[in-house]
Amino acid sequence: MSRGLVVALSGGVGGAKLALGLSRVLPPEELLVIANTGDDFEHLGLSISPDIDTLTYALAGLDNPATGWGRRDETWSFMESIAALGGETWFRLGDRDLAIHVERTRRLRAGETLSQVTADFCRRLGIGPRVLPMSDDRVRTRVRTDEGWIDFQDYFVRRQCRPVVRALAFDGAAAARPQPEAMAALQTGAVRAVVICPSNPFISIEPILAIPGLRAAIANCGAPVVAVSPIIGGRAVKGPTAKIMQELGIEPGAATVARRYGNLLAGYVVDPVDEAEVAGLDVAVTVAPTLMSSLAEREALARVVLDAAGRLSRGG
Ligand code: FO1
């Protein structure tokens, strides 16, 4: 008997860890992951979807444990050869990883949707849970810096998050249609919980919530929304979250992130080091270790989140 569907919102590395934890404690048909596609870009003539790939590799056990992105046991002959030809090498594409970009590009050009390509890759990689892009329409996160607007991967990888962030924009979001299967799932009335994974709220979660209809569908799905703080002790576990917050004039901290999600949140899971900081929040706080270094910690945090959602569903 199904206990209902868990819908997880995720970006790349941090979110993928919790998505993997959830996939280990739930039957595959009870987990649906909505992936951010604002980080997508065209590079070397290839259509690249980093957060979808990071999630896919993590769920398939193919992820590179050192970086969190790309594939494990990678070789770099393609990068060496591209360099010798004067091609761009700032965005590292391993030989095994390259296949997913080449084949995705071919299929998109042949008229398949990003959802269709992603679903087929997941099937071929033996991934049970559904991984859906937030939209099949083009959405691109842009970063306004002191030198003007730049593409997200330019900022994040090529410039290594050095430029000062003055604003973020999600080009195309206003006209993007939410992924239909994700919307249908949220409207079934059979959702047990919506989990906002510990991805960067600004660059990974807000693009998802910016897709017209998605935020409302999540708010009205009849299940508690529980987020896991991506910040531990004022610092992002990985990536530029704290730096971006400071540059946007926002106090970096677990409490600020919860406030950022506003009235969407019923529950919030924070690390013990941040317990005092979130004491005053108008949200049900659960204190638990949120650093997921091992598989066991990924599963444990997944259980904490689901228990928190269960208590909230029972009015606890
Ligand atoms: N991130 C980097 O910091 N450097 C890279 O060279 C890099 C290559 C890369 C290749 C494929 C892929 O799916 C992701 C890759 N990423 C790289 C990560 C990516 O830029 C970020 O994970 C997301 O866009 C932010 O969540």
Side-chain angles (χ1 to χ4, degrees), residues 108-129:
L108 291 175
R109 283 195 188 132
E112 285 190 48
T113 65
L114 185 56
S115 295
Q116 288 168 325
V117 176
T118 305
D120 189 54
F121 286 179
C122 285
R123 185 178 57 79
R124 290 171 183 274
L125 292 173
I127 295 169

Side-chain angles (χ1 to χ4, degrees), residues 64-195:
N64 177 324
T67 55
W69 50 263
R71 287 182 72 144
R72 63 184 59 203
D73 309 325
E74 194 54 281
T75 53
W76 302 94
S77 303
F78 169 70
M79 280 280 105
E80 287 163 23
S81 303
I82 272 279
L85 296 171
E88 292 182 88
T89 58
W90 57 269
F91 194 78
R92 313 283 300 148
L93 294 173
D95 300 332
R96 289 185 171 79
D97 183 38
L98 184 58
I100 212 167
H101 309 298
V102 170
E103 181 58 9
R104 170 183 289 119
T105 302
R106 182 191 69 75
R107 293 190 189 196
L108 291 175
R109 283 195 188 132
E112 285 190 48
T113 65
L114 185 56
S115 295
Q116 288 168 325
V117 176
T118 305
D120 189 54
F121 286 179
C122 285
R123 185 178 57 79
R124 290 171 183 274
L125 292 173
I127 295 169
R130 282 178 289 175
V131 177
L132 303 175
M134 65 193 191
S135 172
D136 283 326
D137 297 322
R138 178 190 172 88
V139 179
R140 293 290 182 268
T141 297
R142 305 265 293 156
V143 183
R144 186 161 66 78
T145 73
D146 291 338
E147 302 142 46
W149 287 96
I150 58 178
D151 290 343
F152 176 74
Q153 297 298 343
D154 233 10
Y155 161 75
F156 190 82
V157 180
R158 196 167 66 83
R159 308 288 301 276
Q160 297 179 351
C161 305
R162 274 194 294 268
V164 174
V165 176
R166 297 297 181 203
L168 291 168
F170 310 130
D171 283 2
R177 292 158 293 177
Q179 207 280 347
E181 203 181 323
M183 285 294 278
L186 288 164
Q187 290 162 349
T188 57
V191 178
R192 166 186 177 188
V194 176
V195 178

Side-chain angles (χ1 to χ4, degrees), residues 144-264:
R144 186 161 66 78
T145 73
D146 291 338
E147 302 142 46
W149 287 96
I150 58 178
D151 290 343
F152 176 74
Q153 297 298 343
D154 233 10
Y155 161 75
F156 190 82
V157 180
R158 196 167 66 83
R159 308 288 301 276
Q160 297 179 351
C161 305
R162 274 194 294 268
V164 174
V165 176
R166 297 297 181 203
L168 291 168
F170 310 130
D171 283 2
R177 292 158 293 177
Q179 207 280 347
E181 203 181 323
M183 285 294 278
L186 288 164
Q187 290 162 349
T188 57
V191 178
R192 166 186 177 188
V194 176
V195 178
I196 298 182
C197 294
S199 293
N200 182 310
F202 307 94
I203 55 180
S204 299
I205 303 298
E206 291 189 1
I208 299 174
L209 299 176
I211 305 299
L214 256 184
R215 184 186 184 105
I218 290 166
N220 303 323
C221 74
V225 179
V226 180
V228 174
S229 172
I231 298 256
I232 298 181
R235 302 284 313 149
V237 175
K238 189 178 173 81
T241 304
K243 179 178 181 285
I244 290 174
M245 291 176 89
Q246 273 160 339
E247 290 165 357
L248 290 174
I250 300 168
E251 168 67 27
T256 316
V257 170
R259 279 194 284 270
R260 188 89 187 175
Y261 290 134
N263 57 10
L264 203 54

